[in-house]
Amino acid sequence: MTTAKVITIHEFSTGIQAQRTEDGNWVSQGFTGKYMNTTLDPIPSIVRKAISNRLFAVAEGKSRNEPALIGREITENNQTWSVIAVVSKGIDDGGRSASMYRYFLSKGKNQLTPILRWLFTVKKDYVFNPFDYQEIGQPHYVDRNKNSPPLDKTDHLIELAAREAPIIIASDDQTIKPLILNSLAAKKAEENGYPIAWAYQVEALEKPRSFQVIYPASAKAEQILRNSLASNPNAPVFIANEQDINTAIKTIFRKGKIELEQLLTLERALQNPQITEEYWQGLFNGQGADQALKSGIYSAQMVRLLALQAAILPATLPKVLGWLEKREKNEEEKKLFIDFQKQVRKILARTNPESEFLALKQQVIEGVRLLIPSVIKQPNLLKPTVSLLKPQNGLWGHFYHYHVKQEIDRDLTTAPQIRGYQPNAVFTLSAEPLWEELFQNIKSTWERNRVSPKEEYLPLAEFFEQVSYYPASALFYHIAWGEVPREVFDACSGRGNHSRKQIYGVWVERHFTLLELILNQIVEIGGSIVPVYMFAPLLILSLLVGGIALPRAFNINLFSPNKSDLKEVKKQLEQLTEENRNLEQREKKLETQLGQIKFQEDLNKAVAKFDSQTRKSIQELLQEIPETSGKSETDKIIFLRKNIFNNDQLQAKAILEDNPQRQWKEEWVRAVYQYQQNNNLPTDGIITFFEDYRKQNGTTIYALYQDIKNSSKVPGG
């Protein structure tokens, strides 16, 4: 029975076994574990959770003979209850004291004021009393005064209201009463967006940061509360349903089975503006996420925990993938990671895409946005990024294909406008620092079309190729190399021809193989310039009609040759022989030039893959060199230079430092190229890395491994 003028107030109390004493008081003979003297059943779950989360708890042993009051509005799932707890001191039959709670509550917001008015003017005997019997279904009906008492505009109260929450009022301030305290808390709650929470006449609180206003019971209590807040000024804001969030996280990563209710709890938490990234990170680290990353703990529980962390905290996704990739044999871990995605996707697929789990989806999308440009500076992430985003049925892969890919396409389509057509063009992804930096760095591609290759963008080109997004791949191959691989080029549609196309407003050129370069060269025949692909059919045609064409070419009479004719034939044949010699010399020169072109291509590719492959392989091989051949990494590199590569000029910094100079990389690439030639290995200047390189017979890294073993056995080697 709740109307505009009447509200319903329920109550319940701590459950104890009580015994009356001779003086008319009572003692507790123990807690029952159930509430007593209740007017409603069941007690609202959000109220139970708030009590379980210690939102009404005074520090044990700190309750006074005079009761303390704690008022809160509790909201969850669009349901709100206004609750006031009266905390008083009880005694058990052994003479020990304990805090006893009596709760008064009414459904809805803005009910704390009428509850307080009723307690002070009607109820009066509101302290805990096990013998004040109440019955289920028999609540208290109270006339409601619509107008809460206005907050007196005294300078003192104005000054109090201006303070930052939680406000601790001086214990000797006699102007503060519960109704005024409630009004102050309501004002602060409106300012900071938190639910109303205040405490009156308290000695100590378990969670003081969860209140807007606190009125201590004494000077000593005031000092205790102030010290508590001052001891940790940077403590995170208290979150009312932290226990629920922790329970959802624990259930997901410990049991491995994800339920709708758990995701809903996390979704509500993501929508809570009070919960920051630092707060989330603290929750995950509290379960061991940071230690798993640092110490390489790959248990099933840790894989699921870090997968969940990557979904909730997008910025951690690259780090989690890097952690997973470090695992040598990670097939089992990958299956767990995939299973996590499938379970989440299954739940999301059953919900309304327009209105449900919007916060969680946004976090996943943000993770994809952050991950893709990360491969530029972290090429080791290329392989796991492709594995994560290529499958459309994965959690992150789904949102890449159906959301982020479209964003990238829109931005690359918009990019030509920066040349002046629309100077104020806005990019969808420009709010992301990594994408903003990326667009700034490649802006010259549209301004001048031809720019110096930027090899650091090769991993991005390879990523887009491997996820079959060929236009973006072609663009970034153009930026990285100045040309586009044939397979990628042919997969793109666009204005142009077989060797040149316009992609996102930029003219890109196809890469030609050595054979294609030779076929496209020109050959001189009879003073004319004829492409080789035309020369071959012409030559065949000449042979087929040789009875006519060849005599005419030599200007002889086929049917009655004379001596002068024969001399002329001999003379022209000698000239043709000399021309053939010249042609052979030109062909050899061309072959040399083409060989140099191919080597330069190989060199550029090998330098581009130096950090992700060659340097990684050498760093791994250094572990194979025993301390007898070198204790420090520098000593071991000197051992490699001397005994394996026979080149003392190679820079150790290229292996030991991040972002080494290109010249140092080229020196190592040439040395690897020479080593491959000397050992009849495929020559590309790259030491391709394999986790199980000791079994990869026929590869460069395996050959080096064997040479290191053999050289290490030589005395003084």
Side-chain angles (χ1 to χ4, degrees):
M1 177 181 175
T2 300
T3 68
K5 294 184 178 181
V6 178
I7 68 168
T8 303
I9 299 176
H10 287 282
E11 69 166 284
F12 60 92
S13 299
T14 304
I16 64 169
Q17 291 180 345
Q19 182 181 19
R20 286 193 182 276
T21 60
E22 293 180 356
D23 59 1
N25 290 321
W26 55 266
V27 294
S28 171
Q29 293 183 315
F31 294 97
T32 64
K34 298 180 180 179
Y35 293 113
M36 64 188 302
N37 296 332
T38 179
T39 64
L40 76 171
D41 185 32
I43 293 168
S45 61
I46 63 170
V47 176
R48 281 180 172 272
K49 287 180 183 179
I51 295 171
S52 177
N53 287 334
R54 312 294 289 166
L55 296 188
F56 294 93
V58 298
E60 204 57 47
K62 295 295 183 182
S63 55
R64 308 170 68 243
N65 292 327
E66 294 150 4
L69 275 69
I70 295 175
R72 283 187 179 278
E73 284 186 356
I74 305 166
T75 300
E76 185 178 298
N77 294 339
N78 298 319
Q79 184 183 18
T80 300
W81 283 82
S82 300
V83 185
I84 290 178
V86 180
V87 190
S88 55
K89 187 176 183 180
I91 303 294
D92 67 11
D93 50 9
R96 295 178 294 266
S97 64
S99 297
M100 301 295 173
Y101 293 80
R102 187 172 184 177
Y103 300 92
F104 298 92
L105 61 159
S106 183
K107 192 172 184 179
K109 292 183 178 181
N110 305 317
Q111 307 287 45
L112 293 176
T113 296
I115 293 175
L116 283 172
R117 285 181 174 277
W118 173 74
L119 288 176
F120 296 144
T121 61
V122 180
K123 181 66 176 172
K124 295 184 180 179
D125 54 340
Y126 49 80
V127 297
F128 179 88
N129 181 357
F131 297 107
D132 187 356
Y133 299 115
Q134 305 293 327
E135 294 183 12
I136 293 175
Q138 298 295 320
H140 311 285
Y141 298 108
V142 181
D143 286 339
R144 175 191 176 92
N145 184 342
K146 290 185 179 181
N147 300 317
S148 299
L151 186 62
D152 294 336
K153 299 296 183 179
T154 65
D155 292 342
H156 174 55
L157 290 180
I158 292 173
E159 186 274 327
L160 285 176
R163 294 182 190 175
E164 185 176 347
I167 301 169
I168 297 180
I169 298 173
S171 59
D172 59 355
D173 189 340
Q174 300 301 315
T175 64
I176 302 300
K177 301 299 178 186
L179 285 167
I180 294 177
L181 196 72
N182 179 64
S183 295
L184 268 174
K187 179 174 176 57
K188 297 307 294 184
E190 184 179 1
E191 290 176 1
N192 56 32
Y194 298 167
I196 295 174
W198 51 262
Y200 180 78
Q201 289 279 28
V202 292
E203 288 285 351
L205 295 165
E206 287 198 11
K207 297 181 177 180
R209 287 192 178 275
S210 67
F211 294 88
Q212 271 92 43
V213 188
I214 302 170
Y215 183 67
S218 64
K220 182 180 179 182
E222 179 185 344
Q223 194 59 48
I224 290 172
L225 289 165
R226 292 189 187 279
N227 290 343
S228 175
L229 295 174
S231 64
N232 192 6
N234 297 320
V237 173
F238 176 79
I239 304 302
N241 59 337
E242 179 177 327
Q243 184 172 330
D244 296 336
I245 301 170
N246 264 322
T247 299
I249 292 173
K250 289 177 184 177
T251 304
I252 289 173
F253 85 85
R254 288 179 179 174
K255 294 185 178 180
K257 187 175 181 181
I258 304 174
E259 302 288 352
L260 174 62
E261 186 57 40
Q262 297 153 7
L263 282 190
L264 284 172
T265 297
L266 298 178
E267 171 69 14
R268 288 191 289 268
L270 284 170
Q271 294 175 3
N272 186 344
Q274 300 175 44
I275 302 182
T276 62
E277 287 189 14
E278 292 77 10
Y279 185 90
W280 277 112
Q281 192 65 71
L283 293 181
F284 285 108
N285 289 346
Q287 303 302 329
D290 54 344
Q291 284 303 313
L293 290 171
K294 291 176 184 176
S295 305
I297 303 172
Y298 292 93
S299 66
Q301 289 190 355
M302 287 300 104
V303 173
R304 288 192 289 263
L305 176 65
L306 289 172
L308 179 60
Q309 175 183 280
I312 298 294
L313 295 175
T316 67
L317 179 59
K319 186 181 292 186
V320 171
L321 281 190
W323 167 81
L324 197 60
E325 191 65 15
K326 286 180 181 177
R327 180 76 160 172
E328 286 192 10
K329 297 179 180 179
N330 61 2
E331 291 307 312
E332 191 60 35
E333 288 77 14
K334 285 182 178 178
K335 288 179 182 177
L336 290 167
F337 208 84
I338 291 171
D339 179 66
F340 168 85
Q341 296 183 68
K342 285 182 177 178
Q343 290 193 59
V344 177
R345 278 279 300 126
K346 187 176 180 180
I347 292 173
L348 296 184
R350 299 200 303 260
T351 62
N352 186 336
E354 300 297 328
S355 60
E356 295 182 271
F357 289 105
L358 298 182
L360 179 59
K361 292 173 184 176
Q362 191 58 40
Q363 295 300 91
V364 175
I365 290 170
E366 185 71 11
V368 177
R369 290 171 179 161
L370 290 170
L371 180 61
I372 293 174
S374 295
V375 303
I376 299 170
K377 295 182 179 179
Q378 302 177 68
N380 60 303
L381 290 180
L382 174 59
K383 181 180 175 182
T385 299
V386 172
S387 298
L388 185 72
L389 301 186
K390 189 172 184 178
Q392 297 187 24
N393 60 348
L395 177 61
W396 284 275
H398 173 83
F399 288 102
Y400 161 70
H401 285 281
Y402 294 100
H403 193 98
V404 178
K405 182 179 178 181
Q406 285 76 5
E407 290 182 337
I408 297 171
D409 185 69
R410 282 196 299 270
D411 281 359
L412 293 179
T413 302
T414 303
Q417 299 171 3
I418 65 176
R419 291 186 296 181
Y421 306 132
Q422 292 184 22
N424 297 321
V426 177
F427 294 108
T428 305
L429 296 168
S430 61
E432 306 292 340
L434 287 176
W435 283 99
E436 174 65 17
E437 179 184 356
L438 170 60
F439 285 129
Q440 286 298 323
N441 288 342
I442 67 173
K443 185 168 62 173
S444 56
T445 302
W446 286 275
E447 292 175 340
R448 296 192 295 274
N449 200 70
R450 284 189 172 275
V451 295
S452 300
K454 297 180 174 68
E455 294 171 358
E456 62 267 29
Y457 292 102
L458 179 60
L460 199 56
E462 293 176 335
F463 163 75
F464 286 125
E465 178 184 7
Q466 292 179 45
V467 296
S468 303
Y469 183 10
Y470 296 112
S473 177
L475 177 67
F476 282 100
Y477 269 121
H478 169 77
I479 293 170
W481 278 353
E483 57 184 4
V484 181
R486 176 180 178 177
E487 294 79 6
V488 176
F489 185 90
D490 290 345
C492 296
S493 59
R495 187 159 61 96
N497 52 39
H498 75 286
S499 63
R500 198 164 177 259
K501 285 181 181 177
Q502 193 176 49
I503 307 292
Y504 291 121
V506 176
W507 285 101
V508 303
E509 296 180 355
R510 204 195 93 186
H511 167 74
F512 287 93
T513 64
L514 179 62
L515 178 61
E516 288 172 323
L517 284 170
I518 293 173
L519 290 176
N520 284 330
Q521 298 302 307
I522 56 174
V523 178
E524 294 183 10
I525 300 179
S528 299
I529 306 298
V530 181
V532 170
Y533 67 84
M534 290 180 61
F535 172 68
L538 286 174
L539 180 61
I540 294 171
L541 182 63
S542 297
L543 292 174
L544 289 175
V545 294
I548 298 173
L550 289 177
R552 287 180 180 174
F554 292 120
N555 194 25
I556 62 173
N557 187 334
L558 180 64
F559 300 103
S560 57
N562 53 40
K563 291 182 179 181
S564 61
D565 288 333
L566 294 176
K567 287 180 181 179
E568 180 64 26
V569 169
K570 182 179 179 181
K571 178 181 177 183
Q572 293 196 28
L573 285 173
E574 288 174 350
Q575 290 177 351
L576 183 59
T577 301
E578 181 63 26
E579 289 176 1
N580 284 340
R581 288 197 194 97
N582 294 335
L583 180 60
E584 288 176 1
Q585 291 175 358
R586 289 198 297 271
E587 287 175 347
K588 288 179 180 178
K589 183 177 180 181
L590 177 61
E591 287 178 3
T592 301
Q593 292 173 340
L594 292 175
Q596 292 173 347
I597 291 172
K598 183 177 185 303
F599 176 76
Q600 188 62 43
E601 290 175 353
D602 288 343
L603 179 66
N604 290 337
K605 292 178 182 178
V607 169
K609 294 192 175 183
F610 182 83
D611 291 334
S612 63
Q613 297 295 325
T614 301
R615 185 168 69 151
K616 183 177 180 180
S617 297
I618 292 175
Q619 289 174 342
E620 189 70 26
L621 289 169
L622 292 180
Q623 311 305 314
E624 304 287 352
I625 301 173
E627 289 193 0
T628 54
S629 300
K631 292 186 177 180
S632 69
E633 289 187 327
T634 302
D635 291 339
K636 292 180 179 181
I637 292 174
I638 292 172
F639 172 85
L640 277 181
R641 294 189 321 198
K642 177 182 177 183
N643 296 281
I644 307 300
F645 291 106
N646 299 316
N647 186 340
D648 291 333
Q649 304 304 312
L650 299 175
Q651 290 286 335
K653 293 180 179 179
I655 307 301
L656 302 179
E657 293 184 359
D658 292 332
N659 301 317
Q661 296 180 18
R662 178 185 170 89
Q663 179 183 347
W664 299 345
K665 294 182 184 181
E666 285 191 5
E667 291 170 353
W668 277 94
V669 168
R670 293 176 188 276
V672 172
Y673 201 93
Q674 187 65 48
Y675 176 86
Q676 290 169 331
Q677 283 186 329
N678 295 342
N679 291 274
N680 295 318
L681 295 164
T683 53
D684 58 4
I686 302 169
I687 308 175
T688 303
F689 179 76
F690 297 93
E691 294 286 354
D692 56 344
Y693 60 84
R694 299 179 185 87
K695 300 178 182 179
Q696 295 291 331
N697 194 6
T699 64
T700 302
I701 191 171
Y702 178 83
L704 287 167
Y705 163 63
Q706 292 294 334
D707 282 350
I708 288 171
K709 281 207 313 183
N710 295 333
S711 297
S712 299
K713 294 176 183 177
V714 178

